Amino acid sequence: EAGRPSNFSMRIGDPNITYSAHQVGLYLQDDWRVSRGVLITPGIRYGFQSHVGDKGNLSPRVTAAWSPLRNGNLTVRGSYGYFYDWISGGLYKQTLLVDGTRIRDINMVNPSYPDPGAGGAAAPSNQYLWSDDLLLPNAHRANVGVDRVVTKNGRLSATYNFGWGRNLLRGRNLNTPEGGLRPDPAFANIVELQSDAGSRTHTLSVNYSFVRLDWKRAFMMANYTIGSSRTNTTGAFSLPANGDNLDTEWGPSQGDIRHRAGGSLNMSPWRDLSFGLNV
């Protein structure tokens, strides 16, 4: 209201660094037809990433499909998988850059204008640390579904998915104020990466499709999904409001969309002309 800036921030220092990061992924999969109507697909994956403490990242998964009817009009599917995710190399880069020495953040409250250095109070810089015992984020995912031919040209399917994540990244503040004073007054927050957060996801999807290639090459589809996605972290360097008590941090994640519906229509009403509508 006074027409003056409330804060000023600037990052100073040497941004030139050299570092290396390595990722290796090996995958093995096979299809096993147990009988005419049963197909099982097992697989296993191994992942390695440098700068991460855990090296034995084996993740199995299996998918099964069963068609009990001889005409193939009904199929029941199910799967389970254990998946690892890579940690972004940009996070490692940030811990090398913003270490409080090579690069510093200058944050000034109520600075003067136009020269911020003529007044105001400069707050200490944050420091970001890499943890040598980090684990790769991982997730368990399971689903079961059914696919049914309901008419000559119509097919209906429904799928339930459940997933839960482990070892997700969040930040731990090693310089939390005690009695109003920080243990290390040279820094503001000293944020160390931790891999102990989690997530939970549930979705139920229903899909109907109608195909009449012999009538103007018509294809119609409609779907509806209801779901819930919750987590106790909002990012790699995010700080929980209640220290290391992540039980109080659970809330909707960025991908939490309760209801989702869609439909599409594609056809060729005349020769050399196609029409499409998506909602």
Side-chain angles (χ1 to χ4, degrees):
E1 293 180 355
R4 292 172 53 86
S6 62
N7 59 75
F8 170 83
S9 63
M10 181 172 63
R11 180 167 286 185
I12 62 174
D14 179 14
N16 299 305
I17 60 172
T18 300
Y19 70 97
S20 63
H22 306 279
Q23 297 174 183
V24 176
L26 304 174
Y27 186 74
L28 177 65
Q29 177 180 305
D30 193 17
D31 292 331
W32 178 31
R33 183 163 295 280
V34 181
S35 63
R36 182 194 62 81
V38 178
L39 177 66
I40 298 178
T41 303
I44 191 168
R45 184 177 185 274
Y46 172 74
F48 165 81
Q49 184 174 15
S50 57
H51 311 301
V52 175
D54 186 12
K55 308 302 182 184
N57 300 310
L58 286 174
S59 51
R61 68 281 312 266
V62 62
T63 299
W66 175 44
S67 299
L69 304 180
R70 184 169 293 274
N71 58 14
N73 286 345
L74 175 65
T75 303
V76 180
R77 308 178 192 276
S79 69
Y80 165 78
Y82 183 45
F83 302 91
Y84 285 98
D85 196 9
W86 303 122
I87 298 177
S88 170
L91 298 178
Y92 182 68
K93 176 183 177 181
Q94 183 168 348
T95 62
L96 297 179
L97 283 174
V98 192
D99 59 356
T101 302
R102 176 182 295 274
I103 285 184
R104 294 180 60 88
D105 287 328
I106 296 179
N107 300 294
M108 302 183 68
V109 180
N110 298 324
S112 60
Y113 181 82
D115 180 9
S125 176
N126 287 337
Q127 183 183 34
Y128 298 96
L129 303 177
W130 185 268
S131 177
D132 292 332
D133 58 355
L134 285 179
L135 303 176
L136 288 182
N138 60 76
H140 300 260
R141 298 173 192 160
N143 71 69
V144 60
V146 59
D147 188 279
R148 181 76 163 101
V149 176
V150 291
T151 65
K152 179 182 177 180
N153 303 102
R155 181 180 293 268
L156 181 67
S157 63
T159 304
Y160 170 72
N161 292 276
F162 173 53
W164 60 103
R166 296 291 183 269
N167 300 334
L168 304 187
L169 299 179
R170 57 98 177 180
R172 170 182 287 169
N173 191 3
L174 304 182
N175 205 32
T176 303
E178 300 175 2
L181 300 176
R182 295 187 184 272
D184 188 347
F187 297 100
N189 296 322
I190 300 178
V191 185
E192 183 183 49
L193 274 178
Q194 297 292 308
S195 54
D196 57 359
S199 65
R200 292 190 295 264
T201 302
H202 302 263
T203 61
L204 175 62
S205 302
V206 180
N207 184 84
Y208 176 77
S209 61
F210 179 85
V211 181
R212 280 275 318 256
L213 298 181
D214 59 338
W215 181 72
K216 303 183 184 302
R217 302 183 62 84
F219 170 78
M220 291 179 286
M221 183 273 295
N223 62 71
Y224 169 74
T225 300
I226 182 172
S228 172
S229 180
R230 299 176 65 81
T231 183
N232 57 5
T233 178
T234 55
F237 289 113
S238 64
L239 295 175
N242 197 18
D244 287 333
N245 184 8
L246 299 183
D247 292 338
T248 61
E249 293 296 308
W250 284 97
S253 69
Q254 292 183 349
D256 183 67
I257 301 176
R258 187 57 51 92
H259 303 282
R260 181 181 304 171
S264 64
L265 167 64
N266 291 273
M267 60 189 309
S268 297
W270 299 285
R271 182 179 178 181
D272 298 328
L273 176 66
S274 61
F275 170 80
L277 175 66
N278 294 279
V279 179

PDB file of all heavy atoms in Angstrom, residues 2 38 73 85 87 90 107 114-115 120 133 141 148 158 168 171 180 198 207 210 222 227 237-238 245 264 269-270:
ATOM      1  N   ALA A   2       2.037   1.178   0.560  1.00  0.00           N
ATOM      2  CA  ALA A   2       2.932   2.326   0.591  1.00  0.00           C
ATOM      3  C   ALA A   2       3.730   2.475  -0.697  1.00  0.00           C
ATOM      4  O   ALA A   2       4.488   3.430  -0.847  1.00  0.00           O
ATOM      5  CB  ALA A   2       3.882   2.217   1.789  1.00  0.00           C
ATOM      6  N   VAL A  38      -6.052 -68.828 -20.449  1.00  0.00           N
ATOM      7  CA  VAL A  38      -5.295 -68.204 -19.358  1.00  0.00           C
ATOM      8  C   VAL A  38      -3.900 -67.820 -19.851  1.00  0.00           C
ATOM      9  O   VAL A  38      -3.167 -68.672 -20.359  1.00  0.00           O
ATOM     10  CB  VAL A  38      -5.179 -69.159 -18.144  1.00  0.00           C
ATOM     11  CG1 VAL A  38      -4.343 -68.506 -17.053  1.00  0.00           C
ATOM     12  CG2 VAL A  38      -6.557 -69.523 -17.621  1.00  0.00           C
ATOM     13  N   ASN A  73     -15.866 -63.540 -25.319  1.00  0.00           N
ATOM     14  CA  ASN A  73     -16.619 -62.319 -25.047  1.00  0.00           C
ATOM     15  C   ASN A  73     -16.455 -61.803 -23.619  1.00  0.00           C
ATOM     16  O   ASN A  73     -16.980 -60.741 -23.283  1.00  0.00           O
ATOM     17  CB  ASN A  73     -18.109 -62.550 -25.314  1.00  0.00           C
ATOM     18  CG  ASN A  73     -18.408 -62.613 -26.805  1.00  0.00           C
ATOM     19  OD1 ASN A  73     -17.575 -62.226 -27.626  1.00  0.00           O
ATOM     20  ND2 ASN A  73     -19.579 -63.114 -27.154  1.00  0.00           N
ATOM     21  N   ASP A  85      11.391 -45.627  -9.005  1.00  0.00           N
ATOM     22  CA  ASP A  85      11.477 -44.418  -9.805  1.00  0.00           C
ATOM     23  C   ASP A  85      12.848 -43.784  -9.602  1.00  0.00           C
ATOM     24  O   ASP A  85      13.452 -43.917  -8.534  1.00  0.00           O
ATOM     25  CB  ASP A  85      10.379 -43.426  -9.393  1.00  0.00           C
ATOM     26  CG  ASP A  85      10.176 -42.339 -10.429  1.00  0.00           C
ATOM     27  OD1 ASP A  85      10.770 -42.460 -11.522  1.00  0.00           O
ATOM     28  OD2 ASP A  85       9.422 -41.394 -10.162  1.00  0.00           O
ATOM     29  N   ILE A  87      15.548 -40.733  -9.048  1.00  0.00           N
ATOM     30  CA  ILE A  87      15.627 -39.435  -8.389  1.00  0.00           C
ATOM     31  C   ILE A  87      16.232 -38.440  -9.377  1.00  0.00           C
ATOM     32  O   ILE A  87      17.274 -38.710  -9.977  1.00  0.00           O
ATOM     33  CB  ILE A  87      16.479 -39.498  -7.110  1.00  0.00           C
ATOM     34  CG1 ILE A  87      15.831 -40.455  -6.100  1.00  0.00           C
ATOM     35  CG2 ILE A  87      16.641 -38.110  -6.500  1.00  0.00           C
ATOM     36  CD1 ILE A  87      16.648 -40.624  -4.824  1.00  0.00           C
ATOM     37  N   GLY A  90      18.567 -33.149 -11.118  1.00  0.00           N
ATOM     38  CA  GLY A  90      18.527 -31.745 -10.748  1.00  0.00           C
ATOM     39  C   GLY A  90      18.543 -31.528  -9.250  1.00  0.00           C
ATOM     40  O   GLY A  90      19.025 -30.483  -8.769  1.00  0.00           O
ATOM     41  N   ASN A 107      18.196 -12.780   0.819  1.00  0.00           N
ATOM     42  CA  ASN A 107      16.796 -12.437   1.011  1.00  0.00           C
ATOM     43  C   ASN A 107      16.712 -11.247   1.961  1.00  0.00           C
ATOM     44  O   ASN A 107      17.133 -11.337   3.116  1.00  0.00           O
ATOM     45  CB  ASN A 107      16.018 -13.621   1.590  1.00  0.00           C
ATOM     46  CG  ASN A 107      16.063 -14.829   0.673  1.00  0.00           C
ATOM     47  OD1 ASN A 107      15.535 -14.804  -0.414  1.00  0.00           O
ATOM     48  ND2 ASN A 107      16.734 -15.892   1.123  1.00  0.00           N
ATOM     49  N   PRO A 114      15.435   2.413  -5.292  1.00  0.00           N
ATOM     50  CA  PRO A 114      15.731   1.253  -6.154  1.00  0.00           C
ATOM     51  C   PRO A 114      16.969   0.463  -5.744  1.00  0.00           C
ATOM     52  O   PRO A 114      17.209  -0.605  -6.306  1.00  0.00           O
ATOM     53  CB  PRO A 114      15.936   1.898  -7.518  1.00  0.00           C
ATOM     54  CG  PRO A 114      16.492   3.257  -7.203  1.00  0.00           C
ATOM     55  CD  PRO A 114      15.808   3.689  -5.930  1.00  0.00           C
ATOM     56  N   ASP A 115      17.762   0.952  -4.813  1.00  0.00           N
ATOM     57  CA  ASP A 115      18.955   0.222  -4.386  1.00  0.00           C
ATOM     58  C   ASP A 115      18.622  -0.569  -3.130  1.00  0.00           C
ATOM     59  O   ASP A 115      18.490  -0.006  -2.045  1.00  0.00           O
ATOM     60  CB  ASP A 115      20.104   1.196  -4.104  1.00  0.00           C
ATOM     61  CG  ASP A 115      21.373   0.468  -3.662  1.00  0.00           C
ATOM     62  OD1 ASP A 115      21.387  -0.774  -3.744  1.00  0.00           O
ATOM     63  OD2 ASP A 115      22.325   1.140  -3.234  1.00  0.00           O
ATOM     64  N   GLY A 120      17.126  -2.191   4.860  1.00  0.00           N
ATOM     65  CA  GLY A 120      16.513  -3.498   4.999  1.00  0.00           C
ATOM     66  C   GLY A 120      17.422  -4.472   5.703  1.00  0.00           C
ATOM     67  O   GLY A 120      18.617  -4.219   5.883  1.00  0.00           O
ATOM     68  N   ASP A 133      22.245 -41.955   2.374  1.00  0.00           N
ATOM     69  CA  ASP A 133      21.456 -43.176   2.573  1.00  0.00           C
ATOM     70  C   ASP A 133      20.065 -43.071   1.948  1.00  0.00           C
ATOM     71  O   ASP A 133      19.127 -43.741   2.396  1.00  0.00           O
ATOM     72  CB  ASP A 133      21.339 -43.498   4.063  1.00  0.00           C
ATOM     73  CG  ASP A 133      20.710 -42.360   4.860  1.00  0.00           C
ATOM     74  OD1 ASP A 133      20.461 -41.288   4.272  1.00  0.00           O
ATOM     75  OD2 ASP A 133      20.459 -42.552   6.067  1.00  0.00           O
ATOM     76  N   ARG A 141       1.583 -51.299  -7.122  1.00  0.00           N
ATOM     77  CA  ARG A 141       0.362 -51.040  -7.887  1.00  0.00           C
ATOM     78  C   ARG A 141      -0.329 -52.355  -8.194  1.00  0.00           C
ATOM     79  O   ARG A 141       0.299 -53.298  -8.689  1.00  0.00           O
ATOM     80  CB  ARG A 141       0.676 -50.301  -9.194  1.00  0.00           C
ATOM     81  CG  ARG A 141       1.306 -48.930  -8.985  1.00  0.00           C
ATOM     82  CD  ARG A 141       1.750 -48.324 -10.287  1.00  0.00           C
ATOM     83  NE  ARG A 141       2.591 -47.146 -10.075  1.00  0.00           N
ATOM     84  CZ  ARG A 141       3.417 -46.641 -10.968  1.00  0.00           C
ATOM     85  NH1 ARG A 141       3.533 -47.220 -12.146  1.00  0.00           N
ATOM     86  NH2 ARG A 141       4.139 -45.574 -10.694  1.00  0.00           N
ATOM     87  N   ARG A 148     -16.242 -57.044 -21.102  1.00  0.00           N
ATOM     88  CA  ARG A 148     -17.374 -57.857 -21.552  1.00  0.00           C
ATOM     89  C   ARG A 148     -17.962 -57.297 -22.826  1.00  0.00           C
ATOM     90  O   ARG A 148     -18.185 -56.093 -22.951  1.00  0.00           O
ATOM     91  CB  ARG A 148     -18.459 -57.879 -20.475  1.00  0.00           C
ATOM     92  CG  ARG A 148     -19.672 -58.718 -20.816  1.00  0.00           C
ATOM     93  CD  ARG A 148     -19.356 -60.191 -20.658  1.00  0.00           C
ATOM     94  NE  ARG A 148     -20.526 -61.027 -20.577  1.00  0.00           N
ATOM     95  CZ  ARG A 148     -21.030 -61.757 -21.565  1.00  0.00           C
ATOM     96  NH1 ARG A 148     -20.437 -61.748 -22.759  1.00  0.00           N
ATOM     97  NH2 ARG A 148     -22.084 -62.516 -21.389  1.00  0.00           N
ATOM     98  N   ALA A 158     -14.587 -52.477 -16.829  1.00  0.00           N
ATOM     99  CA  ALA A 158     -14.450 -51.800 -15.540  1.00  0.00           C
ATOM    100  C   ALA A 158     -13.140 -52.247 -14.907  1.00  0.00           C
ATOM    101  O   ALA A 158     -12.785 -53.431 -14.956  1.00  0.00           O
ATOM    102  CB  ALA A 158     -15.625 -52.118 -14.625  1.00  0.00           C
ATOM    103  N   LEU A 168       9.134 -41.883  -0.702  1.00  0.00           N
ATOM    104  CA  LEU A 168       9.041 -40.635  -1.447  1.00  0.00           C
ATOM    105  C   LEU A 168       9.877 -39.557  -0.756  1.00  0.00           C
ATOM    106  O   LEU A 168      10.129 -39.618   0.447  1.00  0.00           O
ATOM    107  CB  LEU A 168       7.582 -40.190  -1.547  1.00  0.00           C
ATOM    108  CG  LEU A 168       6.602 -41.191  -2.169  1.00  0.00           C
ATOM    109  CD1 LEU A 168       5.237 -40.538  -2.360  1.00  0.00           C
ATOM    110  CD2 LEU A 168       7.120 -41.744  -3.480  1.00  0.00           C
ATOM    111  N   GLY A 171      11.794 -32.959   2.707  1.00  0.00           N
ATOM    112  CA  GLY A 171      12.913 -32.292   3.341  1.00  0.00           C
ATOM    113  C   GLY A 171      12.866 -32.382   4.856  1.00  0.00           C
ATOM    114  O   GLY A 171      11.792 -32.460   5.458  1.00  0.00           O
ATOM    115  N   GLY A 180      13.580 -19.701  19.720  1.00  0.00           N
ATOM    116  CA  GLY A 180      13.655 -18.505  18.890  1.00  0.00           C
ATOM    117  C   GLY A 180      14.982 -18.318  18.195  1.00  0.00           C
ATOM    118  O   GLY A 180      15.128 -17.377  17.402  1.00  0.00           O
ATOM    119  N   GLY A 198       5.166 -41.085   1.840  1.00  0.00           N
ATOM    120  CA  GLY A 198       4.373 -42.093   1.146  1.00  0.00           C
ATOM    121  C   GLY A 198       3.178 -41.490   0.434  1.00  0.00           C
ATOM    122  O   GLY A 198       2.930 -40.285   0.470  1.00  0.00           O
ATOM    123  N   ASN A 207     -15.672 -47.997 -18.717  1.00  0.00           N
ATOM    124  CA  ASN A 207     -15.526 -47.552 -20.099  1.00  0.00           C
ATOM    125  C   ASN A 207     -16.467 -48.341 -21.003  1.00  0.00           C
ATOM    126  O   ASN A 207     -16.594 -49.566 -20.881  1.00  0.00           O
ATOM    127  CB  ASN A 207     -14.076 -47.739 -20.565  1.00  0.00           C
ATOM    128  CG  ASN A 207     -13.845 -47.198 -21.960  1.00  0.00           C
ATOM    129  OD1 ASN A 207     -13.600 -46.019 -22.144  1.00  0.00           O
ATOM    130  ND2 ASN A 207     -13.911 -48.071 -22.963  1.00  0.00           N
ATOM    131  N   PHE A 210     -18.275 -48.384 -28.665  1.00  0.00           N
ATOM    132  CA  PHE A 210     -19.175 -48.859 -29.714  1.00  0.00           C
ATOM    133  C   PHE A 210     -18.480 -48.669 -31.047  1.00  0.00           C
ATOM    134  O   PHE A 210     -18.049 -47.562 -31.377  1.00  0.00           O
ATOM    135  CB  PHE A 210     -20.492 -48.082 -29.678  1.00  0.00           C
ATOM    136  CG  PHE A 210     -21.471 -48.488 -30.739  1.00  0.00           C
ATOM    137  CD1 PHE A 210     -22.323 -49.565 -30.540  1.00  0.00           C
ATOM    138  CD2 PHE A 210     -21.524 -47.806 -31.946  1.00  0.00           C
ATOM    139  CE1 PHE A 210     -23.232 -49.944 -31.530  1.00  0.00           C
ATOM    140  CE2 PHE A 210     -22.431 -48.180 -32.937  1.00  0.00           C
ATOM    141  CZ  PHE A 210     -23.286 -49.243 -32.727  1.00  0.00           C
ATOM    142  N   ALA A 222     -17.255 -43.763 -24.219  1.00  0.00           N
ATOM    143  CA  ALA A 222     -17.573 -42.954 -23.044  1.00  0.00           C
ATOM    144  C   ALA A 222     -16.913 -43.597 -21.832  1.00  0.00           C
ATOM    145  O   ALA A 222     -16.853 -44.827 -21.719  1.00  0.00           O
ATOM    146  CB  ALA A 222     -19.084 -42.860 -22.839  1.00  0.00           C
ATOM    147  N   GLY A 227     -11.927 -41.372  -8.160  1.00  0.00           N
ATOM    148  CA  GLY A 227     -10.651 -41.713  -7.553  1.00  0.00           C
ATOM    149  C   GLY A 227     -10.294 -40.823  -6.388  1.00  0.00           C
ATOM    150  O   GLY A 227     -10.943 -39.810  -6.102  1.00  0.00           O
ATOM    151  N   PHE A 237      12.166 -31.038  -1.449  1.00  0.00           N
ATOM    152  CA  PHE A 237      12.714 -30.177  -0.397  1.00  0.00           C
ATOM    153  C   PHE A 237      11.627 -29.529   0.448  1.00  0.00           C
ATOM    154  O   PHE A 237      11.906 -28.586   1.184  1.00  0.00           O
ATOM    155  CB  PHE A 237      13.620 -29.096  -1.008  1.00  0.00           C
ATOM    156  CG  PHE A 237      14.919 -29.633  -1.545  1.00  0.00           C
ATOM    157  CD1 PHE A 237      15.185 -29.618  -2.893  1.00  0.00           C
ATOM    158  CD2 PHE A 237      15.876 -30.154  -0.682  1.00  0.00           C
ATOM    159  CE1 PHE A 237      16.392 -30.105  -3.399  1.00  0.00           C
ATOM    160  CE2 PHE A 237      17.074 -30.652  -1.164  1.00  0.00           C
ATOM    161  CZ  PHE A 237      17.339 -30.626  -2.530  1.00  0.00           C
ATOM    162  N   SER A 238      10.389 -30.008   0.339  1.00  0.00           N
ATOM    163  CA  SER A 238       9.313 -29.438   1.142  1.00  0.00           C
ATOM    164  C   SER A 238       9.483 -29.845   2.600  1.00  0.00           C
ATOM    165  O   SER A 238       9.857 -30.980   2.918  1.00  0.00           O
ATOM    166  CB  SER A 238       7.958 -29.911   0.621  1.00  0.00           C
ATOM    167  OG  SER A 238       7.825 -31.318   0.776  1.00  0.00           O
ATOM    168  N   ASN A 245       7.007 -35.540  12.073  1.00  0.00           N
ATOM    169  CA  ASN A 245       5.748 -36.259  12.257  1.00  0.00           C
ATOM    170  C   ASN A 245       4.943 -36.177  10.960  1.00  0.00           C
ATOM    171  O   ASN A 245       4.174 -35.236  10.743  1.00  0.00           O
ATOM    172  CB  ASN A 245       4.958 -35.667  13.422  1.00  0.00           C
ATOM    173  CG  ASN A 245       3.678 -36.449  13.700  1.00  0.00           C
ATOM    174  OD1 ASN A 245       3.460 -37.515  13.114  1.00  0.00           O
ATOM    175  ND2 ASN A 245       2.854 -35.937  14.586  1.00  0.00           N
ATOM    176  N   SER A 264     -16.035 -39.579 -26.724  1.00  0.00           N
ATOM    177  CA  SER A 264     -15.539 -39.221 -28.055  1.00  0.00           C
ATOM    178  C   SER A 264     -16.400 -39.891 -29.122  1.00  0.00           C
ATOM    179  O   SER A 264     -17.010 -40.946 -28.888  1.00  0.00           O
ATOM    180  CB  SER A 264     -14.078 -39.634 -28.231  1.00  0.00           C
ATOM    181  OG  SER A 264     -13.930 -41.035 -28.177  1.00  0.00           O
ATOM    182  N   PRO A 269     -18.793 -39.395 -42.331  1.00  0.00           N
ATOM    183  CA  PRO A 269     -20.149 -39.300 -42.882  1.00  0.00           C
ATOM    184  C   PRO A 269     -20.179 -39.301 -44.406  1.00  0.00           C
ATOM    185  O   PRO A 269     -21.151 -39.756 -45.004  1.00  0.00           O
ATOM    186  CB  PRO A 269     -20.657 -37.968 -42.311  1.00  0.00           C
ATOM    187  CG  PRO A 269     -19.424 -37.190 -41.974  1.00  0.00           C
ATOM    188  CD  PRO A 269     -18.403 -38.203 -41.593  1.00  0.00           C
ATOM    189  N   TRP A 270     -19.096 -38.760 -45.023  1.00  0.00           N
ATOM    190  CA  TRP A 270     -19.002 -38.782 -46.473  1.00  0.00           C
ATOM    191  C   TRP A 270     -17.598 -39.201 -46.877  1.00  0.00           C
ATOM    192  O   TRP A 270     -16.659 -39.137 -46.089  1.00  0.00           O
ATOM    193  CB  TRP A 270     -19.318 -37.401 -47.065  1.00  0.00           C
ATOM    194  CG  TRP A 270     -20.705 -36.938 -46.749  1.00  0.00           C
ATOM    195  CD1 TRP A 270     -21.877 -37.368 -47.307  1.00  0.00           C
ATOM    196  CD2 TRP A 270     -21.050 -35.963 -45.764  1.00  0.00           C
ATOM    197  NE1 TRP A 270     -22.937 -36.732 -46.743  1.00  0.00           N
ATOM    198  CE2 TRP A 270     -22.478 -35.863 -45.792  1.00  0.00           C
ATOM    199  CE3 TRP A 270     -20.335 -35.181 -44.867  1.00  0.00           C
ATOM    200  CZ2 TRP A 270     -23.163 -35.000 -44.951  1.00  0.00           C
ATOM    201  CZ3 TRP A 270     -21.011 -34.320 -44.031  1.00  0.00           C
ATOM    202  CH2 TRP A 270     -22.404 -34.228 -44.078  1.00  0.00           C
TER     203      TRP A 270
END
